[in-house]
Amino acid sequence: MNFWTKVAGIILRNRYLVLLGIAIITGLLASQMKYMKFSYTEANLLPENHEANLEYNKFLEIFGEEGNLVILGIKDSTVFTPKKFNAWNNLVNQFDDLEEIDFTLSIADVQKLKADRKKRKFVLEPLYKTNPKTTAEVLAIKKELFEKLPFYDNLLFNKETGTLQTAIYIKKDIVNTPKRRDFIFNTLIPIIEKFEKDNNVDVRISGMPYIRTLNAQNIQGEILLFVLGALLITAVIFFFFFRSYRATFITLLVVTIGVTWAFGFIGWFRFEITVLSALIPPLIIVIGVPNAVFLINKYQQEIKKHGNQAKSLQRVIAKVGNATLMTNITTASGFATFVFVKSDLLREFGILASVNIISIFILALLIIPIIYSFMPLPKKKHLNHLERQWIENVVDWMERMVRNQRITIYFTTVIVIVLSIIGVYKIKVSGSLIEDMPKSTSFYKDIKFFEREFGGIMPLEILIDTKKEKGVMKLSTLKKMDKINEAIESFLELSKPISVVNLVKYSKQAYYLGNPKYYQLPTTQEQSYIFAYTKNTNNDAGLLKNFVDSTGRYARITTFMKDIGTDKMDVIQERLRAVVDKEFPSDTYEVSITGKALVFIKGTNYLITNLVFSLSLAIVLIALFMAWMFRSPQMIVISLLPNILPLLITAGLMGFFGIPIKPSTILVFSIAFGISVDDTIHFLAKYRQELIAHDWRIKPSVYAALRETGVSMFYTSIVLFFGFLVFCLSSFGGTIALGGLVSITLLLAMVSNLLLLPSLLLTFEKKIANKKMFKEPKIKILPTEEEKTEL
């Protein structure tokens, strides 16, 4: 009696205890769901000790969280009428006293810098003291602001289009906490909506805290959509194939418990729900249903043969158990390769996916036979699908192709490989923080509005370390910083920079009675008396503390990026780095280019390197599985080729259709490879069994294996295809691409496994027909004929 026969006996003899055990574990894992929480920070794709992370963390230590700015914008000519102008400027007063707010900045807060000749210092005067009452007064304020105060251009207004902007700085210590979400949904949005209604205007809102909050809300909403969508579509397809409410109900029960376990594991491991881990529950449904297909299909085949329920249930576990275990291990190993990547985001995804895949296998193997043991035998109508003509026709067509059209199959394969390689060379890389965000949402449209009007919303920071106290305010340093400003302004993809240089230029303008033509750095002669005025001025009165640290050693230059890909960003970085290297000698200065968006772009490049590693590791792992199971070197090559081909085709399609490599699409290859190998294992396991039955004659063994496994492989591939298509319901571009690409890859893998794999076996029959070349497998995936008679 083999191992799986014993397992079958234990499961069926102790069915009440097994069900009780499952119920207890489900209850315990359900109790862990309360610890699930959504991520309030951007995904960090880089390891903690990566240079880009170390530079960014140093910046945060000196200047604090950079992504704490919420911006409001309005582009409406009627805003320059007294009622609306005053309403707009008073809008931020409602935020000033809130505990979540650090400070706000609007046109009402504009201070004019003036030179006090008697006290030899600069003083601040408000742009206007009382609210304007006539349109003429409003236009006079607008004229002074737009024409005489270049310091505020692109900060509070766009001179060219007349668009106004207001800044709300959230306290840095709440930016990455649930308080941020509460402020956005319970305070900010209701106040803005009321303002829009009262004044009949359209207010645009953006900034990283706002975008991240609404994006997280979308992820939260889509988890339920994916789970219900995956349940519905797999149930419909399952019922279409099996025409049995009973079989459909049992399958849905298994995957529902699997989803509960998936959520439980997220809570138990204390992982945050990210855009990736949100895919785990629906993924488990999609991967769990094929297990049920194989088990239920086998049960019904056995019932049809001899009508003995006890023997059928034992054979289901004994005959399908090991093959299904192997397929689930290979799928889990495809995901588990992410565990070796140094990115926390991918590591957590890999751990959750692999644990849950093995869990859903165990659940299916235990629940399906036990529930059927309590039920009456299936009726004849439930077994009719086994003889359905259309599926017979599909299998007949595959057999004819393999028997008579092998040259056509190989020729087509070669053509497809050549085209795919051409496509691979067209693939681009994208590392944008906002590219995958839902294009139809108002917050995405607002992002594009601020890109057009003010140059972007994603901060890019340049940190300058002068290596000595008060080194920033040296004129030589300021002139070097101005060279960087000029380089930044030459890029259409970047907004006008703001730094201490802008303040010093404003100081010179103020010294020369506010004449805007003097908005420039002082000369060496002017430096001493202008800086003397600056020293006598209270620093707290200005914005200086936001751009220079308290010691005067460190300075920052802040600009904002548009939504650009890695290619453009690499060019920008290169040119900025050239200016930095030329102007700032490394022995006296240390300059780093950083910011959350830049770290994300570098993270994408890092992931691509890791993709090659994780995919190579998956291929090696699965090759080792094949070697362990079949113990034939030729079989390793023959089994891997039909599974690598679909990945190549998918990469080619990405190149031809302009789908870039990015964090979401990177996952496609490892996921698809891990799942597609399942079909190969099922086919080869059956093939080897048929070899023994047919006395090592290759041809009849291949055709018998094709007929036996073709139906189940077709069913499972269709379920997987439509199951992954559920992700196309997403509003996130990356999730749509992931779902569509995995679906196509798995469909191609099915065709490859049912046509190319048997063709290769027949073509190389002389090489693999020898028993010595195809040794006794290390694992008996399917029982021998002698063991079958024991059951």
Side-chain angles (χ1 to χ4, degrees):
M1 188 181 288
N2 78 356
F3 170 75
W4 283 98
T5 309
K6 290 176 187 172
V7 169
I10 292 166
I11 292 171
L12 294 169
R13 278 196 303 272
N14 301 286
R15 54 189 185 169
Y16 289 103
L17 275 175
V18 171
L19 289 178
L20 181 64
I22 290 171
I24 291 168
I25 294 169
T26 304
L28 289 171
L29 284 170
S31 71
Q32 296 295 308
M33 285 163 65
K34 62 175 180 257
Y35 296 111
M36 289 194 313
K37 57 183 179 180
F38 285 85
S39 174
Y40 290 99
T41 58
E42 277 95 3
N44 191 350
L45 306 174
L46 293 168
E48 281 301 315
N49 60 355
H50 191 278
E51 185 190 4
N53 262 341
L54 295 175
E55 287 179 350
Y56 183 60
N57 289 335
K58 182 183 177 183
F59 171 83
L60 292 182
E61 277 175 33
I62 298 165
F63 289 108
E65 174 63 48
E66 38 131 26
N68 66 326
L69 169 64
V70 173
I71 44 177
L72 311 177
I74 187 168
K75 187 178 184 180
D76 190 324
S77 58
T78 63
V79 80
F80 294 106
T81 55
K83 184 184 171 220
K84 290 185 182 179
F85 185 76
N86 293 328
W88 173 251
N89 293 322
N90 293 332
L91 174 63
V92 288
N93 295 341
Q94 298 177 61
F95 299 106
D96 279 333
D97 299 327
L98 297 175
E99 60 175 352
E100 299 95 341
I101 302 304
D102 191 2
F103 67 96
T104 60
L105 186 63
S106 70
I107 289 173
D109 300 311
V110 168
Q111 302 283 313
K112 293 188 290 182
L113 201 62
K114 291 206 166 184
D116 185 332
R117 301 290 185 204
K118 288 181 182 175
K119 295 181 180 175
R120 293 178 61 80
K121 70 172 187 177
F122 292 116
V123 291
L124 292 168
E125 283 185 6
L127 179 62
Y128 60 93
K129 289 175 182 171
T130 56
N131 287 343
K133 294 183 173 58
T134 65
T135 303
E137 287 176 19
V138 174
L139 293 176
I141 292 168
K142 178 188 174 185
K143 185 178 180 184
E144 184 170 7
L145 186 66
F146 281 32
E147 294 179 12
K148 295 186 178 177
L149 295 172
F151 174 79
Y152 294 102
D153 187 15
N154 213 65
L155 190 63
L156 292 176
F157 63 87
N158 180 330
K159 189 164 65 174
E160 307 298 324
T161 62
T163 306
L164 301 182
Q165 183 172 257
T166 288
I168 300 171
Y169 288 86
I170 297 175
K171 281 185 180 163
K172 292 174 180 179
D173 55 353
I174 74 151
V175 167
N176 295 324
T177 70
K179 281 186 178 178
R180 181 195 81 209
R181 180 198 59 206
D182 297 339
F183 165 72
I184 298 291
F185 284 119
N186 302 334
T187 307
L188 178 73
I189 292 175
I191 287 174
I192 299 303
E193 285 176 350
K194 184 178 184 302
F195 177 84
E196 287 179 321
K197 191 178 173 186
D198 292 347
N199 293 280
N200 193 27
V201 289
D202 180 22
V203 176
R204 309 291 191 134
I205 315 173
S206 201
M208 294 313 292
Y210 178 78
I211 292 165
R212 284 158 57 189
T213 304
L214 268 70
N215 207 35
Q217 186 75 2
N218 269 34
I219 293 170
Q220 201 171 334
E222 288 194 353
I223 291 179
L224 186 63
L225 174 73
F226 290 154
V227 169
L228 293 178
L231 281 172
L232 180 66
I233 202 160
T234 49
V236 168
I237 296 165
F238 197 90
F239 184 77
F240 175 75
F241 286 149
F242 285 90
R243 300 295 165 96
S244 165
Y245 289 110
R246 186 190 301 174
T248 307
F249 166 75
I250 293 169
T251 304
L252 289 179
L253 177 67
V254 170
V255 293
T256 303
I257 295 171
V259 168
T260 306
W261 283 30
F263 283 125
F265 281 125
I266 293 172
W268 186 26
F269 296 152
R270 303 293 191 269
F271 290 163
E272 291 182 334
I273 295 179
T274 62
V275 72
L276 283 188
S277 56
L279 303 178
I280 295 286
L283 199 64
I284 295 312
I285 296 170
V286 173
I287 292 172
V289 169
N291 288 334
V293 169
F294 277 108
L295 292 164
I296 293 172
N297 207 37
K298 189 67 199 167
Y299 173 66
Q300 294 184 347
Q301 282 175 351
E302 291 294 328
I303 289 290
K304 191 179 177 191
K305 273 184 196 172
H306 49 72
N308 185 322
Q309 188 179 48
K311 188 192 281 190
S312 299
L313 292 170
Q314 269 203 313
R315 284 193 174 181
V316 164
I317 298 168
K319 288 179 71 176
V320 183
N322 210 11
T324 316
L325 173 63
M326 285 299 103
T327 58
N328 280 274
I329 286 176
T330 53
T331 303
S333 66
F335 286 95
T337 54
F338 293 125
V339 174
F340 301 100
V341 175
K342 288 178 182 174
S343 161
D344 287 341
L345 183 79
L346 281 182
R347 191 186 296 122
E348 289 178 8
F349 178 72
I351 291 168
L352 284 170
S354 46
V355 167
N356 280 295
I357 286 163
I358 299 301
S359 299
I360 195 79
F361 159 71
I362 294 167
L363 285 170
L365 192 71
L366 295 176
I367 292 172
I368 290 172
I370 288 175
I371 290 188
Y372 268 118
S373 73
F374 289 108
M375 290 182 165
L377 287 174
K379 294 174 184 171
K380 188 177 183 302
K381 66 178 181 179
H382 297 143
L383 307 179
N384 287 342
H385 74 94
L386 298 170
E387 296 173 344
R388 207 168 291 148
Q389 190 56 48
W390 69 270
I391 194 72
E392 280 292 316
N393 293 339
V394 171
V395 176
D396 288 343
W397 175 80
M398 289 187 290
E399 190 178 322
R400 278 198 310 276
M401 287 296 293
V402 171
R403 197 185 288 270
N404 306 319
Q405 303 289 332
R406 286 205 295 280
I407 298 298
T408 307
I409 291 169
Y410 294 145
F411 182 73
T412 307
T413 303
V414 170
I415 295 292
V416 166
I417 288 171
V418 171
L419 289 172
S420 299
I421 290 169
I422 294 168
V424 167
Y425 280 98
K426 294 176 179 286
I427 290 183
K428 289 187 168 64
V429 176
S430 167
S432 162
L433 257 176
I434 61 172
E435 184 188 34
D436 281 344
M437 290 180 184
K439 305 286 188 289
S440 58
T441 56
S442 60
F443 78 83
Y444 185 84
K445 290 170 184 169
D446 287 351
I447 289 170
K448 291 297 172 190
F449 170 82
F450 283 103
E451 282 188 358
R452 286 192 307 273
E453 297 295 327
F454 296 99
I457 50 94
M458 292 183 291
L460 178 70
E461 302 282 357
I462 297 171
L463 177 65
I464 296 155
D465 178 4
T466 61
K467 297 186 179 179
K468 51 190 165 190
E469 288 194 7
K470 298 185 180 175
V472 171
M473 295 307 290
K474 284 190 168 182
L475 187 59
S476 57
T477 304
L478 294 169
K479 284 181 175 176
K480 290 175 189 296
M481 288 173 67
D482 202 28
K483 292 285 184 188
I484 296 180
N485 285 359
E486 287 170 12
I488 289 170
E489 287 188 33
S490 70
F491 291 106
L492 294 173
E493 296 83 5
L494 300 178
S495 71
K496 284 184 183 177
I498 182 160
S499 67
V500 64
V501 171
N502 302 63
L503 285 166
V504 173
K505 287 180 177 179
Y506 192 17
S507 301
K508 179 173 175 177
Q509 180 190 348
Y511 186 82
Y512 286 103
L513 305 176
N515 188 335
K517 78 173 186 181
Y518 289 103
Y519 183 74
Q520 56 190 235
L521 285 175
T523 62
T524 312
Q525 290 82 8
E526 295 165 329
Q527 173 193 357
S528 56
Y529 44 86
I530 289 176
F531 280 9
Y533 272 61
T534 306
K535 282 176 189 172
N536 296 333
T537 305
N538 181 4
N539 279 346
D540 291 334
L543 290 166
L544 189 65
K545 62 182 180 208
N546 289 314
F547 300 106
V548 182
D549 79 315
S550 57
T551 66
R553 172 178 167 173
Y554 295 97
R556 72 193 277 195
I557 299 174
T558 301
T559 179
F560 292 90
M561 290 166 53
K562 289 183 179 175
D563 177 26
I564 56 176
T566 47
D567 291 348
K568 279 186 182 174
M569 193 61 230
D570 287 342
V571 172
I572 290 170
Q573 254 190 288
E574 240 173 72
R575 275 178 52 189
L576 286 179
R577 182 48 67 187
V579 175
V580 166
D581 291 344
K582 183 184 172 188
E583 298 294 333
F584 292 90
S586 56
D587 54 334
T588 48
Y589 296 95
E590 194 176 306
V591 181
S592 58
I593 302 169
T594 187
K596 203 156 277 182
L598 188 62
V599 171
F600 188 82
I601 287 171
K602 287 185 176 179
T604 303
N605 292 330
Y606 176 81
L607 277 191
I608 291 161
T609 310
N610 277 272
L611 161 70
V612 177
F613 168 75
S614 65
L615 187 58
S616 306
L617 188 60
I619 291 169
V620 169
L621 276 175
I622 287 160
L624 288 173
F625 273 128
M626 296 296 182
W628 194 38
M629 289 186 294
F630 298 109
R631 309 185 74 201
S632 164
Q634 283 82 358
M635 291 304 293
I636 296 170
V637 177
I638 287 170
S639 61
L640 287 178
L641 187 62
N643 292 294
I644 293 172
L645 179 63
L647 301 185
L648 184 63
I649 297 170
T650 302
L653 288 172
M654 287 174 71
F656 284 121
F657 288 102
I659 300 168
I661 287 278
K662 50 189 173 184
S664 45
T665 54
I666 276 171
L667 299 172
V668 168
F669 301 98
S670 292
I671 292 174
F673 185 76
I675 296 173
S676 67
V677 169
D678 295 359
D679 284 346
T680 309
I681 291 173
H682 275 289
F683 184 88
L684 291 178
K686 186 63 191 168
Y687 165 67
R688 194 187 186 289
Q689 191 186 60
E690 295 295 338
L691 269 179
I692 296 166
H694 289 92
D695 194 29
W696 294 89
R697 285 178 297 134
I698 297 277
K699 281 184 181 170
S701 303
V702 168
Y703 300 137
L706 189 60
R707 297 204 75 81
E708 176 82 17
T709 58
V711 176
S712 286
M713 283 164 69
F714 181 76
Y715 281 3
T716 53
S717 295
I718 296 299
V719 169
L720 287 165
F721 175 78
F722 285 104
F724 274 99
L725 275 185
V726 166
F727 293 130
C728 293
L729 296 173
S730 172
S731 53
F732 291 89
T735 312
I736 294 168
L738 175 73
L741 289 170
V742 172
S743 293
I744 290 165
T745 310
L746 292 177
L747 208 58
L748 292 167
M750 176 194 74
V751 174
S752 186
N753 276 307
L754 289 173
L755 294 179
L756 184 59
L757 177 59
S759 298
L760 289 169
L761 289 169
L762 291 170
T763 300
F764 295 100
E765 65 176 302
K766 288 177 184 173
K767 296 266 187 190
I768 57 176
N770 191 333
K771 286 187 191 181
K772 289 179 184 175
M773 295 302 293
F774 204 153
K775 299 169 189 173
E776 186 65 24
K778 193 78 179 170
I779 296 178
K780 289 180 181 175
I781 298 170
L782 294 174
T784 61
E785 291 303 316
E786 290 82 5
E787 287 168 335
K788 283 187 203 177
T789 56
E790 287 177 24
L791 293 171

